[in-house]
Amino acid sequence: MSNQVLNPLPRKSPEELGVSPLKISDFLSEMQSHSIELHSFMLLRHGCVAAEGWWAPYEPQLPHMLFSLSKSFTSTAIGIAVQEGKLSVEDPVISFFPDDLPKEVSPNLAAMRIKHLLMMGTGHAADTTDELHSSADGNRVRAFLKLPVEHEPGTFFMYNTGATYMLSAILQKAAGETLLQYLEPRLFKPLGIMHPTWESCPRGINTGGYGLKITTEDIAKFGQLYLQKGMWQGERLLSPAWIEEATSKQIENGAGGDSDWAHGYGYQFWRCQHGVYRGDGAFGQFCIVLEDLDAVTAITAGTNDLQGVLNGVWSHLLGAFGMAGEPDSVVAKASSEELRHQLEELRLDPPRKAPKPEPNTGHGTPCYRLEENEFGIKQLQITFGDNVAVLDITNEQGEHRIELGEQEWKPRVHLVIWSP
Amino acid sequence: MSWASRSGSLGYTSLFGVHERIAASFIRESPERLVLTLRRIETPFFITIDIRSLEREVELQLKINVSFDNRVPEPIKGTIIA
């Protein structure tokens, strides 16, 4: 896989873009002080990258699992399909799957439209994901359609990854190709998103609600496309009307307040506090579009504290924006050099102890046979070398070898240097 | 067994079901205790394997940094064979 980024976003200094380096620095410091593990961070303004960083050993060219942030891409595919006349959000869900319907179609199931899948308002009282995954024959569409629909569609919000799977299945029916294939020429290639991958169900339907892997810069480009109302380098990829519809509140999901999961839901996008919208995924994957500030933040992470990440954005980044080139208190007073240094030094160190033990003290080359376990690990052997060890694991899939550094990551990685 | 015959090349592994990049480290906490850290750097996850050995027996405690259920896996027991 090439390490080159196709059509990289332009870079400018924070000051040129009217962004305070101090506020960015404060955001990064807050994440650290709250023990929120970020893996990458990009801040865009006016279509340019103002700041970016990867916590070593994470790297810019590595794709990252998006989890539910994938949903916003699925929504985009539906929007493009609507533009192309392949389907309408008013189409009944059951109309796409005549061979998979239950014997009796309930009134609520009959009333379920594509828009209800998009807004997480299918009418189900609980998330359907587990039922889909446990379907004995692997036919997740049939598993979805046979579930009771307790509420009238459009009246009851229930976050429902099975609904997004159905969007993927509908898109595949309507377009005659998978979601990933469909988006390749229409979204990924124009944006310069290289080698995207998407998990599939046993029947070859992309999972839709999760399973997409792309880089952080790819996430940032996606947000920028939304900020630009669907225009990309002079080409219209998505209609502004769709973007307006998809990112507006389509259904109530709570009473608002301090929770960013209670300000309304669009078409696979969350409405946030401060008039912001976002796509997000488990463990801290974010594409945050700050429309009024002409800014986008893309984040990957490994944390359960998603609200903590958003609170950091609200507390620090919202106040980071002034007018480009404006030399006042809002815009940079802290040195860009300090921010650059901070971004260069981002890292997640391996466990360490001082003093480092003498080489190989007390450890031979043990090989262990393990009792039956949930990970399917059968055998494990560790061989020590000079500041390295080699782990050989045998599991049900075969033998695997991993090299480990002693109190260092192996392989060593190049630090990512932020440059304006 | 040669390096080439194993399922992974350095920096990559298929241990977790997909071919992916990994960064790994270890620390010798004591003569009886070794802690391995495997970072799946294309994902949010890292796995800690705490290995405690006592003569011919071993106990492994695996932990994953984040999960949907926050469940701590049961320790795995084993015996030395070489």
Side-chain angles (χ1 to χ4, degrees):
Chain A
M1 184 182 295
S2 167
N3 289 346
Q4 299 299 311
V5 177
L6 188 64
N7 298 326
L9 291 162
R11 268 70 174 170
K12 287 188 178 179
S13 72
E15 293 94 329
E16 286 178 283
L17 297 166
V19 185
S20 162
L22 176 62
K23 295 288 188 182
I24 299 170
S25 178
D26 288 347
F27 168 75
L28 298 172
S29 298
E30 179 168 317
M31 295 300 102
Q32 184 175 7
S33 66
H34 285 67
S35 300
I36 294 174
E37 180 182 302
L38 299 192
H39 295 164
S40 68
F41 161 77
M42 292 186 86
L43 179 63
L44 277 56
R45 196 178 196 209
H46 306 321
C48 298
V49 180
E52 58 188 312
W54 281 258
W55 280 251
Y58 298 84
E59 303 174 47
Q61 77 278 10
L62 286 174
H64 203 280
M65 231 181 233
L66 297 196
F67 287 90
S68 288
L69 177 50
S70 309
K71 290 180 169 73
S72 303
F73 289 80
T74 303
S75 165
T76 302
I78 296 294
I80 296 170
V82 168
Q83 279 174 205
E84 294 181 344
K86 294 188 184 312
L87 49 80
S88 158
V89 297
E90 298 295 339
D91 288 340
V93 172
I94 59 171
S95 68
F96 292 91
F97 308 105
D99 298 334
D100 291 313
L101 298 179
K103 283 181 182 173
E104 288 188 24
V105 174
S106 70
N108 282 344
L109 179 59
M112 192 189 298
R113 313 283 162 172
I114 288 178
K115 67 182 179 186
H116 298 132
L117 300 173
L118 285 163
M119 70 172 72
M120 298 296 188
T122 57
H124 292 101
D127 187 354
T128 60
T129 309
D130 288 347
E131 281 77 7
L132 268 60
H133 287 182
S134 59
S135 60
D137 62 356
N139 188 336
R140 297 183 182 181
V141 167
R142 186 171 292 173
F144 180 92
L145 294 171
K146 79 176 184 186
L147 290 171
V149 184
E150 293 87 344
H151 303 273
E152 181 186 347
T155 65
F156 183 80
F157 176 81
M158 172 52 62
Y159 191 74
N160 184 348
T161 295
T164 319
Y165 171 81
M166 292 300 287
L167 291 171
S168 176
I170 287 171
L171 189 282
Q172 190 162 328
K173 277 270 187 178
E177 56 188 339
T178 66
L179 175 60
L180 182 61
Q181 290 167 337
Y182 183 73
L183 282 176
E184 179 61 35
R186 295 169 174 86
L187 180 75
F188 294 136
K189 189 175 178 187
L191 263 55
I193 295 176
M194 300 170 69
H195 313 299
T197 60
W198 211 317
E199 291 175 38
S200 298
C201 77
R203 296 201 164 206
I205 298 169
N206 292 138
T207 45
Y210 60 94
L212 178 61
K213 276 173 79 170
I214 53 175
T215 68
T216 310
E217 183 153 353
D218 296 337
I219 298 168
K221 288 176 176 176
F222 178 73
Q224 186 64 32
L225 173 70
Y226 270 73
L227 200 53
Q228 295 172 180
K229 302 292 182 191
M231 288 296 290
W232 193 260
Q233 296 178 341
E235 185 184 356
R236 175 154 300 289
L237 306 183
L238 199 55
S239 81
W242 175 265
I243 289 180
E244 180 65 26
E245 190 174 337
T247 61
S248 297
K249 179 162 71 176
Q250 295 292 337
I251 191 167
E252 292 282 354
N253 63 351
D258 294 338
S259 168
D260 283 293
W261 282 260
H263 285 260
Y265 196 78
Y267 288 166
Q268 312 281 295
F269 285 91
W270 296 91
R271 295 296 310 178
C272 312
Q273 302 175 68
H274 312 291
V276 174
Y277 64 86
R278 74 180 190 282
D280 76 22
F283 313 124
Q285 325 316 315
F286 286 103
C287 179
I288 304 169
V289 180
L290 305 121
E291 201 166 17
D292 293 345
L293 297 165
D294 197 23
V296 172
T297 299
I299 290 169
T300 61
T303 179
N304 284 319
D305 189 4
L306 273 67
Q307 186 65 67
V309 176
L310 290 172
N311 288 344
V313 172
W314 310 151
S315 298
H316 303 292
L317 297 185
L318 281 184
F321 301 96
M323 298 297 288
E326 190 179 69
D328 66 12
S329 61
V330 176
V331 183
K333 285 211 171 157
S335 160
S336 269
E337 285 301 315
E338 288 176 26
L339 176 61
R340 179 182 292 125
H341 180 71
Q342 188 176 10
L343 290 164
E344 286 173 359
E345 292 298 313
L346 295 173
R347 64 182 70 241
L348 296 165
D349 286 325
R352 288 183 175 140
K353 67 186 291 187
K356 195 172 175 180
E358 290 298 311
N360 295 329
T361 49
H363 292 283
T365 306
C367 182
Y368 302 106
R369 180 176 296 127
L370 303 181
E371 294 176 355
E372 192 171 322
N373 59 81
E374 61 187 286
F375 301 97
I377 305 173
K378 295 179 174 176
Q379 191 168 304
L380 179 146
Q381 182 166 25
I382 302 164
T383 309
F384 293 96
D386 186 14
N387 292 318
V388 295
V390 174
L391 170 67
D392 287 312
I393 288 184
T394 304
N395 66 8
E396 288 154 359
Q397 282 72 47
E399 296 173 334
H400 309 271
R401 170 164 283 182
I402 295 170
E403 193 172 24
L404 309 99
E406 182 159 21
Q407 304 191 35
E408 297 290 343
W409 296 121
K410 193 77 179 178
R412 294 194 67 171
V413 293
H414 298 291
L415 290 177
V416 177
I417 307 300
W418 172 86
S419 60
Chain B
M1 182 170 291
S2 71
W3 287 74
S5 68
R6 306 283 179 158
S7 68
S9 56
L10 291 181
Y12 285 85
T13 186
S14 299
L15 177 61
F16 303 102
V18 293
H19 190 62
E20 63 183 352
R21 284 279 305 270
I22 194 165
S25 77
F26 73 98
I27 182 168
R28 289 175 282 137
E29 288 285 359
S30 71
E32 298 79 28
R33 186 174 170 221
L34 190 67
V35 179
L36 318 182
T37 306
L38 311 180
R39 275 197 178 266
R40 301 177 61 193
I41 53 178
E42 298 182 17
T43 81
F45 304 117
F46 71 84
I47 295 90
T48 305
I49 308 176
D50 193 333
I51 303 173
R52 293 170 191 266
S53 57
L54 185 63
E55 296 185 352
R56 300 193 61 78
E57 295 185 342
V58 69
E59 183 173 287
L60 275 64
Q61 178 67 64
L62 276 71
K63 287 183 184 168
I64 302 172
N65 61 323
V66 288
S67 67
F68 287 110
D69 57 13
N70 291 320
R71 189 179 63 83
V72 177
E74 291 293 317
I76 305 169
K77 293 187 185 301
T79 52
I80 197 163
I81 56 173

